[in-house]
Amino acid sequence: MQNQSRIVVENVAPQINGGNIFIKRVVDEIVPVTADVLVDGHDVIQASLLYKHESEKKWSETRMNPTFNDEFSASFQTIKQGFYSYKVEGWVDYALNWQHGIQRKIDDYQHVNSELLEGAVLLENMLTNVNEDDKNYLLHLIFIFKNSEHYNEAIKEAVSERLHSVFKHHPEKLLTNCSQEFLVYVDRKKALFSTWYEFFPRSASEQEGVHGTFNDCHRLLPRVAQMGFDTLYFPPIHPIGEVNRKGKNNTTVAQEGDVGSTWGIGSRFGGHKDIHPELGNLDDFKHLIAKATELGIEIAMDFALQAAPDHPWVKEHPSWFKWRPDGTVQYAENPPKKYQDILPIYWETADYKNLWQECLDILLYWIDCGIRVFRVDNPHTKPYYFWNWVISEVKKQHPDILFLAEAFTKPKIMQQLAKQGYTQSYTYFTWRESKHELMAYVNELTQTNQREFMRPNFWPNTPDINPFHLQGAPESRYLQRYALAATLSSNIGIYGPVFEQMISTPIPGKEEYYMSEKFQLCHYDWFKENKITALITKINHIRKQQESYQQTNNIKFLETGNDQLIAFYKWNDAKTNETLTIISLDAYHSQSGSVQLPIQDVQIHHGQKIEVEDLVTRNCYNWYNEWNYVEIHPTLPFHIFKINK
């Protein structure tokens, strides 16, 4: 391919998979862009960052600044939801090149009559592109550049800042070269900052042994809101299969009265567009959504694409399942786990277009009912390109919709789901315990290109995961794990009230809850208050007040001199809110150390006093040095400091 341009534009960042995958932002976030822009020889070159929203026809432009080693940088702000395109354009700036050259010759005491005449030609070409004031200025320069009796004035003006500014703001772009276009998808702000609470509506009854309803959930909404949660996630609310229904503790034979797993979806009462009759009806559900909204809570719905053996799809769309020679369908498995009450969907079916459309219709149905957030069950067992299609189709009509990928699987698979469009992702935080593990994992999420497409959501526990470190653990361990999740990540969640009431009896040797709520009704003292509920509430409200905790990527780990103390500095984009978090990883003993304050990042000098305010206890401390002593006791295993200067 022939290309006369002398400019090379390459290594544009950020980009994912060569630009085949879009990066992600939320409204009002900044997109910093860098690129290598090269030219042969020594000419002066310029570069611009061009960007536009998908609803706009005209590109906006901001000039890029050279940094080092032929790299240029600039940024733009995302103002509204949807896709933005961005690209980098480079060119030889002949006007600035002329000014740079004449400056060197004048400094060398050379006569530059010929160069001034060249400059006059450049100025004549600019006359139609400048305002009236600048036009008069350029006409004067053209006159003095062409008349030798004005030589002294001419050489002074030739290198003036005013002329440089005119050149800079009105470039003549000849033989430009441009990078390919890249995409960034912009979500609403909740994609970046959310606080999730999970419970089973069927366990919401005030009376033990009685199946809860949506109406029972109403009395719990104020408590969820008061604790500072803004997203209430319900496991599936659909009819539960009666064929092969699971009994308590995942037994394969259900006894009379066993309610089954909520993920065994579909029965004679309907499928994915229906509600389990014991929970209530559609009007009850819509009323609950409305009441939650009044309290600042969004209800997140489970989107689980699987079917019980008696799901209506099995008879109505048999080709959506893979039948064996004996006339049965192999139930779902994830060794060593077996799901006898679930039939996996056959995604290779020849009728895949109707299958995909039905899955889209399910989402659109519940969106019309008021749902704006979906937690998707086991997305890694469905085709990646299906997710790309269905999420894209939803976003075209409803850009506010958020999708959380519930996938605890291999790293590249989790990353691929994020690349295909998932808004947030479950993570390995649940299993990261040591200081080294936590720092390495958070740095991976925030310091590599994963920061551009994968938004982590940190959960200390889930109905599926009763981690070993919480089994029989003391109160301090629960406080520690919640503090870690809530301050390391801007998106967090817990499965409660199991977490807050420290209900952790396991099936021996497994990370599973004994008498799991997945397979039975549970009864709780929903309004029980303890130290854990009080501190969860406090931390959640701190997160809402301190912008530095409302994003994940702005983080810097600090030295403490103690492997049992983890410390990190966080800040908002404007550096108007800065926090310092120190957490003890020892649930049983006091730990002490010296924390190295990042004085350059905080922009203070040695010996300058700063105040660190503990946002939990409200105690304040004056620090004067780079290294500062801290001691943390298990009764309150963390400091959440606001830095006041």
Side-chain angles (χ1 to χ4, degrees):
M1 180 182 70
Q2 291 181 311
N3 184 351
Q4 193 182 3
S5 175
R6 297 165 56 204
I7 295 291
V8 173
V9 180
E10 63 181 9
N11 296 330
V12 178
Q15 60 168 286
I16 306 298
N17 289 19
N20 292 322
I21 302 295
F22 56 82
I23 66 168
K24 297 174 184 175
R25 291 294 187 274
V26 299
V27 173
D28 292 335
E29 267 199 298
I30 301 297
V31 182
V33 178
T34 61
D36 294 342
V37 185
L38 317 173
V39 68
D40 58 278
H42 305 286
D43 286 338
V44 174
I45 58 176
Q46 294 290 299
S48 281
L49 170 61
L50 306 176
Y51 59 95
K52 66 176 181 177
H53 187 264
E54 59 185 331
S55 63
E56 300 169 337
K57 293 183 179 179
K58 185 179 179 181
W59 291 88
S60 296
E61 178 177 358
T62 184
R63 192 63 61 86
M64 303 184 79
N65 297 312
T67 55
F68 61 95
N69 195 23
D70 295 308
E71 182 182 90
F72 286 71
S73 68
S75 63
F76 67 97
Q77 187 173 26
T78 56
I79 304 300
K80 47 191 173 182
Q81 291 174 229
F83 278 106
Y84 279 78
S85 299
Y86 61 96
K87 59 183 179 180
V88 172
E89 179 185 54
W91 65 94
V92 174
D93 197 308
Y94 294 102
L96 290 177
N97 202 49
W98 169 85
Q99 190 178 45
H100 177 69
I102 201 171
Q103 172 82 65
R104 296 177 66 186
K105 290 182 178 181
I106 291 171
D107 290 345
D108 193 40
Y109 302 103
Q110 298 181 30
H111 285 282
V112 290
N113 289 319
S114 179
E115 287 79 2
L116 288 172
L117 293 176
E118 291 174 349
V121 174
L122 289 171
L123 300 184
E124 288 169 350
N125 292 336
M126 298 177 61
L127 291 174
T128 58
N129 298 321
V130 297
N131 60 35
E132 194 64 25
D133 185 48
D134 284 339
K135 182 177 180 180
N136 291 331
Y137 173 64
L138 295 184
L139 286 171
H140 174 67
L141 295 191
I142 292 169
F143 173 75
I144 64 174
F145 283 6
K146 290 182 176 181
N147 290 273
S148 58
E149 62 267 26
H150 297 286
Y151 181 81
N152 289 336
E153 182 187 3
I155 61 173
K156 179 180 178 182
E157 289 295 336
V159 297
S160 68
E161 282 297 323
R162 181 174 181 183
L163 182 57
H164 182 85
S165 177
V166 173
F167 284 157
K168 191 82 181 239
H169 290 94
H170 303 281
E172 183 181 21
K173 299 180 181 179
L174 300 174
L175 298 177
T176 62
N177 205 9
C178 201
S179 72
Q180 70 183 82
E181 293 182 21
F182 301 94
L183 291 175
V184 51
Y185 187 80
V186 181
D187 277 298
R188 59 188 173 112
K189 292 186 177 182
K190 188 162 188 169
L192 183 63
F193 176 58
S194 58
T195 313
W196 294 53
Y197 189 87
E198 176 181 3
F199 74 79
F200 287 71
R202 69 185 185 186
S203 293
S205 174
E206 291 186 85
Q207 186 176 347
E208 188 170 1
V210 175
H211 197 289
T213 67
F214 292 135
N215 290 333
D216 290 320
C217 295
H218 280 271
R219 65 185 173 83
L220 305 181
L221 291 177
R223 176 182 184 271
V224 174
Q226 186 274 330
M227 290 184 70
F229 294 97
D230 55 45
T231 307
L232 176 56
Y233 158 52
F234 289 156
I237 60 171
H238 312 298
I240 297 171
E242 298 171 348
V243 176
N244 294 347
R245 175 177 286 190
K246 289 295 188 78
K248 293 182 178 65
N249 274 322
N250 201 20
T251 55
T252 55
V253 179
Q255 304 299 315
E256 184 177 353
D258 281 344
V259 292
S261 167
T262 61
W263 284 274
I265 297 171
S267 75
R268 57 194 170 94
F269 296 109
H272 284 74
K273 294 179 183 176
D274 299 287
I275 289 174
H276 188 62
E278 292 188 78
L279 289 174
N281 57 38
L282 184 59
D283 286 339
D284 296 332
F285 186 50
K286 289 182 177 179
H287 185 49
L288 183 63
I289 293 172
K291 286 295 183 182
T293 301
E294 291 176 6
L295 294 171
I297 297 171
E298 293 188 51
I299 290 183
M301 192 172 190
D302 201 295
F303 187 51
L305 291 179
Q306 60 235 9
D310 42 337
H311 192 294
W313 285 351
V314 179
K315 289 184 178 180
E316 295 171 4
H317 303 282
S319 66
W320 293 0
F321 303 90
K322 189 171 184 178
W323 298 87
R324 299 188 294 185
D326 63 359
T328 63
V329 177
Q330 173 63 50
Y331 57 76
E333 291 186 272
N334 182 18
K337 295 182 178 180
K338 298 182 179 181
Y339 306 95
Q340 293 89 342
D341 56 338
I342 292 174
L343 303 184
I345 292 171
Y346 181 46
W347 293 95
E348 290 87 352
T349 175
D351 193 32
Y352 78 94
K353 289 185 179 180
N354 287 323
L355 169 60
W356 286 28
Q357 186 61 49
E358 174 64 13
C359 295
L360 173 60
D361 289 346
I362 292 168
L363 290 168
L364 296 177
Y365 175 82
W366 292 111
I367 290 169
D368 287 343
C369 293
I371 294 297
R372 292 292 179 271
V373 184
F374 292 93
R375 177 268 198 190
V376 181
D377 188 65
N378 281 335
H380 56 292
T381 60
K382 288 83 181 174
Y384 303 121
Y385 298 131
F386 161 74
W387 291 122
N388 182 285
W389 177 82
V390 78
I391 292 174
S392 297
E393 290 298 308
V394 167
K395 291 281 194 176
K396 287 177 185 177
Q397 303 177 51
H398 303 282
D400 276 356
I401 305 305
L402 309 180
F403 293 88
L404 169 62
E406 185 269 340
F408 299 104
T409 182
K410 293 183 289 186
K412 290 182 180 178
I413 292 177
M414 294 170 67
Q415 293 169 32
Q416 187 61 223
L417 291 167
K419 289 178 179 180
Q420 296 298 337
Y422 272 92
T423 317
Q424 298 177 7
S425 305
Y426 278 73
T427 68
Y428 302 135
F429 165 77
T430 315
W431 297 277
R432 297 298 184 261
E433 297 181 65
S434 72
K435 180 176 179 176
H436 171 75
E437 290 172 330
L438 287 163
M439 290 174 59
Y441 187 50
V442 171
N443 282 333
E444 176 189 330
L445 292 170
T446 64
Q447 307 303 316
T448 70
N449 70 352
Q450 288 186 49
R451 63 180 284 141
E452 304 294 350
F453 64 87
M454 189 169 179
R455 293 194 189 99
N457 196 320
F458 281 9
W459 288 67
N461 73 325
T462 76
D464 287 307
I465 305 167
N466 178 16
F468 289 125
H469 57 255
L470 289 183
Q471 296 176 14
E475 177 185 74
S476 55
R477 179 73 72 201
Y478 283 80
L479 296 174
Q480 169 207 103
R481 294 302 294 180
Y482 193 80
L484 283 166
T487 54
L488 287 169
S489 176
S490 55
N491 291 306
I492 61 166
I494 56 168
Y495 160 49
V498 167
F499 183 87
E500 64 208 44
Q501 296 188 21
M502 299 193 300
I503 300 171
S504 65
T505 304
I507 295 176
K510 296 184 177 181
E511 288 188 306
E512 298 180 37
Y513 288 98
Y514 177 68
M515 301 302 285
S516 169
E517 195 170 0
K518 289 166 55 180
F519 307 104
Q520 66 177 44
L521 302 181
C522 288
H523 184 70
Y524 304 106
D525 178 358
W526 282 97
F527 295 93
K528 178 180 180 180
E529 295 184 2
N530 58 25
K531 186 175 179 180
I532 295 177
T533 60
L535 284 172
I536 285 176
T537 301
K538 187 68 176 178
I539 291 172
N540 287 349
H541 286 285
I542 288 172
R543 281 164 45 88
K544 290 184 177 181
Q545 296 161 0
Q546 308 299 320
E547 288 186 4
S548 60
Y549 292 122
Q550 295 172 20
Q551 54 183 302
T552 302
N553 291 334
N554 284 358
I555 186 170
K556 181 176 184 178
F557 288 101
L558 309 176
E559 291 292 336
T560 64
N562 184 338
D563 284 342
Q564 293 299 314
L565 290 180
I566 188 169
F568 47 92
Y569 163 68
K570 299 193 82 170
W571 62 94
N572 66 348
D573 288 336
K575 279 290 187 87
T576 56
N577 180 250
E578 298 169 282
T579 51
L580 174 63
T581 309
I582 310 167
I583 301 175
S584 172
L585 304 180
D586 188 338
Y588 300 96
H589 309 96
S590 292
Q591 293 290 338
S592 62
S594 291
V595 176
Q596 184 180 21
L597 189 68
I599 57 176
Q600 290 185 336
D601 298 284
V602 179
Q603 297 180 337
I604 61 171
H605 55 75
H606 289 279
Q608 180 178 344
K609 185 190 82 171
I610 66 165
E611 178 187 80
V612 290
E613 176 186 0
D614 192 312
L615 298 174
V616 175
T617 66
R618 310 310 299 190
N619 291 328
C620 295
Y621 306 89
N622 292 329
W623 285 2
Y624 295 87
N625 303 307
E626 181 178 4
W627 293 89
N628 298 274
Y629 178 81
V630 294
E631 183 173 354
I632 297 181
H633 191 273
T635 54
L636 185 63
F638 53 83
H639 283 301
I640 299 176
F641 287 132
K642 180 183 178 184
I643 298 174
N644 299 317
K645 292 182 283 187

